Amino acid sequence: MFDVVVLGGGPVGITAANRAHAEGLSVALVERELVGGECNYWGCVPSKSLLRPVLAVAEARKVDGAREAVVGAIDPKGVFGRRDRYVTNWDDTPVAEAVRGLGVDVVRGHARLDGVRRVVVTTAQQRLELQARHAVVVCTGSTAVVPDLPGVAEANPWTNRRATDSSAVPGRLAVVGAGGVGVEMATAWHGLGAQVTLLSRTDRLLPRMEPFIGAHVQRGLEEAGVDVRTDVRVTGVRRPGGTGPVQITLDTGERLEVDEMLFATGREPNTADLGLATVGLAPGSWLDVDDTCLVRGVEGDWLYALGDVNHQALLTHQGKYQARVAGAVIGARAHGRPVESGPWSAHVTTADDLAVPQAFFTDPEAAAVGLTDEQARRRGHRVRTVDVDMGQSVPGANFYADGYTGWARMVVDEDDRTVLGVSLVGPGVVEMLHAATVAVAGRVPVDRLWHAVPCFPTISEVWLRLLEAYRDGAAAR
C-alpha cells in the first residue's frame, strides 16, 4: 500500500514522485524501461549532446579570425562518445539510485490500471499488485508515429530513438517531417557528415511558429547544404529484404534513394496497454484533464495524467511544471488542505495556453513563448505586433556573429498593454527565452518593461528595440 503510485519513470514521473514525497506521502514509481525516460535516453539529452558540437563549429565559422581556426570535419566518434557520457551509456543505475535516495520506491515492470486506485505490475518473473490510498499518476509519455505507408515496415525506418542512439553516420539520410525533431535531426546529421534531404508536407518549416522563423531555419539549412523540400508527401517506400538503400516515392512522382530515413511526423500516447478500460476510459487515448491535471470522466478524484499523455504540451519542461502543480495538489487533498492555499492554485491549463516556451537548436536557433500573431487574433485579442531585424539594430548581435542574421517579434495585447507572445530566430537566441517567458507568464505591462534595462552590448538589447518599435508605432497612429 502506497499513498501515491506513479506510472512512468521519466523526468515528469520523477518530478511528480519527488513532489508528492515532499508532501509527506509514500510513493512508488513504476518504470518498464529505463528510469529517466525518453527525454534522458532518446530525446532532449542525446539530441542536444549531438547538436552542440555541430552548432559550436557553425558559430565559430561566423566570426572573423575564429573561422580560420576551424579546420577539418567534425569527428563523429568524439561526438558520439560525448553523447554516450551524457546518457550514461543507457545505464539507468545512477538515476534509479538518485530516485531511491529521494525516498521513493522504484518498481520495475509494466504497469496497468486494474480498477479504482489499483495497479498491477508485471514482469517476466512476477505479478505485483499495488494499491494507492490517494492517487495514481499517469506519466507514461508518448511514442513516435510511423505513417502507415506501403512498404514502411520492411523499410525499417528510424524514429527519434534511432536518430539519437545511432553511432554510424549514414551516407544519405531522408528526414520526413519539419517540426522540432525533424529540423534538429537534419541539422545534427548533416553536421556529422550525412547528405540530408528534409521532406516537409507543409509549405514551411516549424509550421506552428511564426512564419519568419521557419523561413530563417530553412535558409540556414539550405546554406549548410541540406536539400529542403516543402509541400511534398511520401506516398511509399521500398527496401527489399529490409537491407540496402531505401527507395522513397513522393506525391510528385519523383523517387529518392537514401541509406536511411527518419520519420519525425508526430507522437501518440503510451496508453494503449495501460488498463484504461478498467476505469471507463478508451485505451490508446489522450487523457483529458482539468486545471490540476485530474483526469476527467473518472469518479473519485484519484487519477491524474501529466506530460505528453494529456496532450497539452509535449515538452519535458512543461510536463515537469505540471508535475510540480499536481504533486502539491495531491498533497493538499491528502492532508485535507484547500487546494487554493498554495502556489499550485495557478491554473495549469492557463499557463499551458499562455506561456509555453519552446526552443529548437538549429542554425540559426529558434525560440518562442506565448501566442503568435495569428493565434492571438484567432482568440479574439486586440493586438499590435512589432518586429525587429536583429542584425541591423542590435550591436551585441553583430559582436556575437559577423553579419548576424536574426529576427524578433513581440505580440502585445492592446487592451491591457501586456506581452502575449515573443518569437526569436538567430544565433544565441535560445538563452534569451526565459526573459520572454517571465514577461508573458507574469503579464508584465509594456510600460514596466522599459525599466528592465538590457546590458550593452548583449543580444538582449533586442528588448529595447522591440519597445522602441512599439512606442514609435503608437506615436505614428
Side-chain angles (χ1 to χ4, degrees):
M1 175 74 75
F2 293 89
D3 292 320
V4 179
V5 178
V6 179
L7 312 187
V12 178
I14 291 172
T15 302
N18 184 27
R19 191 65 191 85
H21 183 266
E23 290 287 333
L25 304 176
S26 61
V27 184
L29 179 75
V30 186
E31 173 55 47
R32 65 175 180 171
E33 291 187 297
L34 298 179
V35 179
E38 191 84 5
C39 179
N40 276 15
Y41 303 106
W42 299 285
C44 298
V45 172
S47 67
K48 276 50 179 184
S49 299
L50 293 172
L51 281 159
R52 183 57 200 152
V54 172
L55 297 179
V57 169
E59 288 181 353
R61 286 176 172 153
K62 292 183 175 70
V63 180
D64 289 341
R67 69 169 58 92
E68 289 78 8
V70 180
V71 293
I74 289 175
D75 174 26
K77 183 178 179 180
V79 176
F80 296 143
R82 181 176 192 266
R83 174 206 57 198
D84 293 352
R85 291 197 305 273
Y86 279 104
V87 300
T88 60
N89 291 297
W90 291 274
D91 176 7
D92 69 350
T93 302
V95 180
E97 289 180 349
V99 173
R100 292 189 184 100
L102 298 172
V104 173
D105 281 49
V106 175
V107 180
R108 295 187 180 274
H110 183 82
R112 296 177 182 85
L113 295 169
D114 188 33
V116 177
R117 297 188 182 88
R118 181 180 169 87
V119 174
V120 173
V121 182
T122 56
T123 68
Q125 292 78 32
Q126 65 176 350
R127 181 179 187 273
L128 180 65
E129 297 178 358
L130 304 178
Q131 188 72 38
R133 291 186 185 89
H134 299 292
V136 175
V137 186
V138 179
C139 308
T140 49
S142 64
T143 298
V145 173
V146 175
D148 184 15
L149 294 169
V152 72
E154 193 175 33
N156 192 27
W158 287 10
T159 63
N160 67 289
R161 290 200 168 195
R162 283 298 310 280
T164 54
D165 72 13
S166 178
S167 294
V169 180
R172 300 163 298 175
L173 173 67
V175 178
V176 184
V181 174
V183 296
E184 285 194 340
M185 290 298 93
T187 301
W189 286 100
H190 176 267
L192 290 169
Q195 178 184 327
V196 176
T197 301
L198 178 63
L199 304 172
S200 171
R201 67 179 180 180
T202 58
D203 60 0
R204 67 176 192 262
L205 310 190
L206 297 171
R208 296 184 181 181
M209 303 181 85
E210 293 281 12
F212 69 82
I213 290 183
H216 276 75
V217 171
Q218 180 173 344
R219 187 180 308 120
L221 286 168
E222 290 175 337
E223 289 176 353
V226 175
D227 181 5
V228 179
R229 307 191 188 189
T230 58
D231 205 18
V232 297
R233 292 176 180 269
V234 175
T235 57
V237 295
R238 286 190 72 249
R239 194 178 210 173
T243 60
V246 183
Q247 283 84 41
I248 302 173
T249 303
L250 305 179
D251 59 353
T252 60
E254 184 180 1
R255 292 186 178 181
L256 306 176
E257 182 177 278
V258 297
D259 299 295
E260 299 290 351
M261 68 182 303
L262 160 65
F263 278 110
T265 50
R267 310 284 295 181
E268 60 186 5
N270 290 329
T271 59
D273 190 18
L274 198 61
L276 293 183
T278 68
V279 295
L281 299 174
S285 63
W286 301 100
L287 300 179
D288 184 31
V289 298
D290 69 9
D291 292 341
T292 65
C293 289
L294 192 67
V295 177
R296 292 189 173 100
V298 177
E299 294 183 1
D301 294 350
W302 61 275
L303 185 63
Y304 295 76
L306 315 178
D308 286 13
V309 290
N310 66 32
H311 208 224
Q312 290 187 349
L314 277 66
L315 299 163
T316 297
H317 49 271
Q318 206 68 16
K320 292 171 68 174
Y321 163 62
Q322 295 171 4
R324 293 190 291 273
V325 173
V329 167
I330 291 167
R333 287 171 172 160
H335 296 304
R337 300 194 307 265
V339 170
E340 294 77 12
S341 65
W344 51 86
S345 60
H347 293 303
V348 175
T349 51
T350 299
D352 279 346
D353 286 341
L354 182 63
V356 179
Q358 52 185 327
F360 300 113
F361 293 77
T362 47
D363 180 22
E365 295 173 350
V369 63
L371 303 179
T372 65
D373 176 83
E374 180 184 351
Q375 289 167 344
R377 295 179 190 279
R378 196 165 59 237
R379 293 189 185 196
H381 293 283
R382 188 172 65 90
V383 303
R384 185 147 57 91
T385 298
V386 294
D387 293 287
V388 167
D389 182 338
M390 297 170 67
Q392 295 296 317
S393 61
V394 181
N398 286 292
F399 294 135
Y400 192 92
D402 296 315
Y404 188 102
T405 301
W407 200 266
R409 170 169 290 181
M410 180 171 70
V411 180
V412 179
D413 188 321
E414 287 289 81
D415 291 326
D416 61 10
R417 290 171 63 86
T418 60
V419 181
L420 287 174
V422 177
S423 297
L424 305 155
V425 64
V429 298
V430 298
E431 296 302 335
M432 295 195 296
L433 183 56
H434 193 60
T437 302
V438 171
V440 174
R443 303 192 70 87
V444 180
V446 172
D447 292 343
R448 186 61 193 162
L449 284 176
W450 282 99
H451 301 283
V453 181
C455 182
F456 177 85
T458 66
I459 307 175
S460 292
E461 279 196 297
V462 68
W463 280 99
L464 183 56
R465 302 288 93 84
L466 287 166
L467 292 171
E468 290 169 345
Y470 181 79
R471 176 201 61 196
D472 295 345
R477 296 176 70 181

